[in-house]
Amino acid sequence: MKIAIIGSGGREHALAWKLQQSPKVEKLLCLPGNPGTAGLATNVAVTIENHDAIIDILKQYKIDLAVIGPEAPLVDGLADKVRNAGIRCFGPGQQAAMIEGSKAFSKEFMKRHGIPTADFRTFSREQLYDAIRYLDELPMPVVIKASGLAAGKGVLICSERDEAREVTRSMLQGDAFKEAGATIVIEEFLEGEEVSVFALCDGSRFVTLMPAQDHKKILDGDKGKNTGGMGAYAPAPIATDEILQTARKNVLVPTVQGMRDEGYPFIGCLYAGLILTASGIKVLEYNCRFGDPEAQVVLPLIDDDLAEILYACAGGELKQDSIRFHEASAVCVVMASGGYPDTYKTGLKIGGLQNIKEEDGVVVFHAGTKREGDSILTAGGRVLGVTAIGYKDDLQETIRSAYRAVEKITFDGAYYRSDIGAKGLGGK
Ligand code: AMP
Ligand code: GLY
């Protein structure tokens, strides 16, 4: 099988790492990939926005399966174009990707299908005054979300009514989040632990992966600004078998069936961002692809042929109803460039990568790096995802192993959280 992975981050490096383990894979391409994927696959330079160039490359290499990593090309309809070119694609079409591309759409979808989520209303630019009036009725805190894609930054939790009004105005009247904020969702604030559940879907059936927990805030103790994700671990013990069964029945089954019944079956990785509240499981958000950095911890735990599973999903012919997992735990610590998620430097030389050995149970997934001669330099905010794989019953040791590896890697101003996985140890 010839597979092409589209994307260039840590998630795509993890996909390449897992897929190349399959004996079925005879050729693996990354479009465009990064210096980490270069060791596992053939990187082919292309800009992700250039869909025609991507299709040409897929045809030229006679690719059997395209796996699309990030949300932007999915929301822009790349999966439809790949399928129209007669190539199997693991990734939802444009309409199904709306489940992530429009929070207003996904909230209305959940309401139609009785899927538990925070109470909400949506407002467009013309409805500014209705939105302000609605805020007057609501208890604080309240959550205000730009409906469109905003790289994880379009969600604001406001504890004061004045602040909530200001945020609403800045989105609907001003230009905060551009068109992504032209429609907003105002919703009830929920409290509870969050867990990410991934379902690999073929349009009507699905298999689930190990539940993971992300760490979205920049600072220890979940403080400070939101980021793309500063680390993750799996399995998350908070998501017990019972909770996962409930999530399947109340969230995943009705979502996959609802999308199929409404004429846009979901093929790809459906990401359910769940919150475990005192009144049960609720959906905070859907994403239409693997989480990043969650992929870096859920993919290494799979003890099955991922290439076969993704190929079957893409063809609408998933036969199995569960997959096998290693008896293991995984922890990914993201090393970021100082200043992230605001401004940060790039082009800093990374040292120590050669000291990390996969035999020791650690893999370094590249996220924002570039090669210059013999050196690897930083090229983004989130630079590396240092991932340790260890015993299932000893998360503590897996965490230690990840941090031992982190300490061997150096670049100027390197920043990382020091409490990744701590939530999984019981007590905070
Ligand atoms: P989203 O992109 O919708 O998942 O939101 C990003 C983050 O904002 C979530 O992971 C939560 O931490 C937080 N969040 C979103 N919606 C709510 C809510 N209704 N109540 C509390 N926190 C929320
Ligand atoms: N880690 C959160 C996301 O991928 O959206």
Side-chain angles (χ1 to χ4, degrees):
M1 196 189 312
K2 299 192 187 74
I3 302 185
I5 299 167
I6 293 146
S8 62
R11 162 183 50 210
E12 289 75 28
H13 186 180
L15 279 164
W17 179 84
K18 186 66 200 171
L19 286 171
Q20 64 83 35
Q21 292 172 4
S22 163
K24 296 261 164 63
V25 176
E26 55 182 288
K27 179 84 191 163
L28 192 59
L29 294 189
C30 286
L31 316 185
N34 64 35
T37 64
L40 302 165
T42 306
N43 283 352
V44 182
V46 68
T47 29
I48 294 232
E49 292 77 25
N50 191 344
H51 293 184
D52 291 342
I54 290 175
I55 303 289
D56 284 346
I57 296 166
L58 299 180
K59 285 184 181 159
Q60 185 192 335
Y61 284 87
K62 297 192 167 44
I63 292 298
D64 302 297
L65 172 69
V67 179
I68 303 179
E71 61 277 18
L74 292 165
V75 170
D76 289 346
L78 179 59
D80 301 305
K81 291 181 195 159
V82 173
R83 281 191 272 273
N84 287 340
I87 299 164
R88 282 198 190 195
C89 183
F90 184 81
Q94 187 159 33
Q95 226 185 329
M98 288 276 281
I99 203 93
E100 173 168 3
S102 164
K103 288 191 192 288
F105 172 88
S106 75
K107 294 291 290 191
E108 296 293 346
F109 174 88
M110 286 187 260
K111 195 156 121 188
R112 276 200 299 286
H113 294 279
I115 297 165
T117 189
D119 284 342
F120 73 101
R121 277 185 59 188
T122 63
F123 300 93
S124 56
R125 288 214 198 273
E126 316 67 76
Q127 295 172 303
L128 174 65
Y129 292 102
D130 297 334
I132 303 282
R133 240 178 287 136
Y134 181 57
L135 287 175
D136 287 338
E137 295 166 18
L138 292 179
M140 297 291 125
V142 72
V143 185
I144 303 178
K145 303 183 174 185
S147 178
L149 290 185
K153 298 187 182 114
V155 174
L156 292 136
I157 297 170
C158 304
S159 41
E160 305 292 335
R161 219 172 294 274
D162 278 346
E163 182 195 2
R165 290 192 192 109
E166 194 42 47
V167 166
T168 299
R169 278 199 199 93
S170 73
M171 291 198 199
L172 290 184
Q173 199 170 42
D175 208 18
F177 304 106
K178 309 271 180 301
E179 274 313 293
T183 300
I184 62 169
V185 174
I186 299 183
E187 69 179 35
E188 141 197 47
F189 176 78
L190 300 175
E191 271 185 283
E193 282 241 28
E194 292 181 38
V195 60
S196 310
V197 175
F198 302 95
L200 308 181
C201 308
D202 80 344
S204 23
R205 283 170 305 256
F206 63 88
V207 289
T208 49
L209 302 183
M210 281 291 177
Q213 272 189 314
D214 187 10
H215 299 67
K216 286 201 169 98
K217 301 279 175 155
I218 187 75
L219 302 175
D220 281 9
D222 294 330
K223 303 264 174 10
K225 290 194 172 170
N226 259 324
T227 70
M230 292 304 294
Y233 78 98
I238 179 114
T240 58
D241 285 347
E242 194 190 336
I243 285 177
L244 289 177
Q245 280 307 327
T246 310
R248 244 186 123 80
K249 180 162 146 277
N250 296 353
V251 176
L252 297 173
V253 169
T255 303
V256 172
Q257 279 178 2
M259 295 182 79
R260 188 194 56 197
D261 295 349
E262 291 188 5
Y264 42 91
F266 190 96
I267 294 175
C269 178
L270 178 69
Y271 170 137
L274 306 176
I275 184 162
L276 313 180
T277 73
S279 56
I281 296 175
K282 299 198 177 175
V283 177
L284 282 179
E285 64 164 344
Y286 293 112
N287 291 321
C288 66
R289 35 90 195 163
F290 289 99
D292 186 339
E294 292 99 319
Q296 289 86 317
V297 292
V298 298
L299 297 176
L301 297 183
I302 297 175
D303 183 19
D304 219 322
D305 191 324
L306 185 66
E308 268 182 32
I309 296 170
L310 301 191
Y311 186 75
C313 285
E317 53 189 31
L318 184 67
K319 298 269 174 355
Q320 57 204 97
D321 53 18
S322 65
I323 59 183
R324 289 187 301 273
F325 298 104
H326 294 293
E327 282 291 315
S329 56
V331 174
C332 171
V333 178
V334 170
M335 296 183 75
S337 205
Y340 174 81
D342 297 319
T343 52
Y344 51 81
K345 288 187 188 156
T346 57
L348 305 166
K349 190 168 172 180
I350 304 173
L353 289 171
Q354 72 286 355
N355 299 331
I356 313 288
K357 303 260 176 322
E358 210 167 307
E359 306 86 88
D360 299 334
V362 181
V363 193
V364 179
F365 294 120
H366 289 228
T369 68
K370 67 176 177 205
R371 175 175 284 283
E372 222 171 74
D374 287 338
S375 301
I376 302 288
L377 308 181
T378 71
R382 292 192 294 171
V383 177
L384 299 167
V386 181
T387 304
I389 299 141
Y391 292 111
K392 187 170 187 177
D393 299 329
D394 200 351
L395 178 63
Q396 176 78 268
E397 179 48 31
T398 313
I399 294 171
R400 282 198 202 107
S401 165
Y403 279 105
R404 277 197 297 271
V406 164
E407 277 157 25
K408 293 181 187 158
I409 300 173
T410 53
F411 53 89
D412 277 352
Y415 170 78
Y416 52 88
R417 272 181 63 161
S418 66
D419 63 348
I420 302 301
K423 277 184 227 173
L425 298 174
K428 276 204 171 180

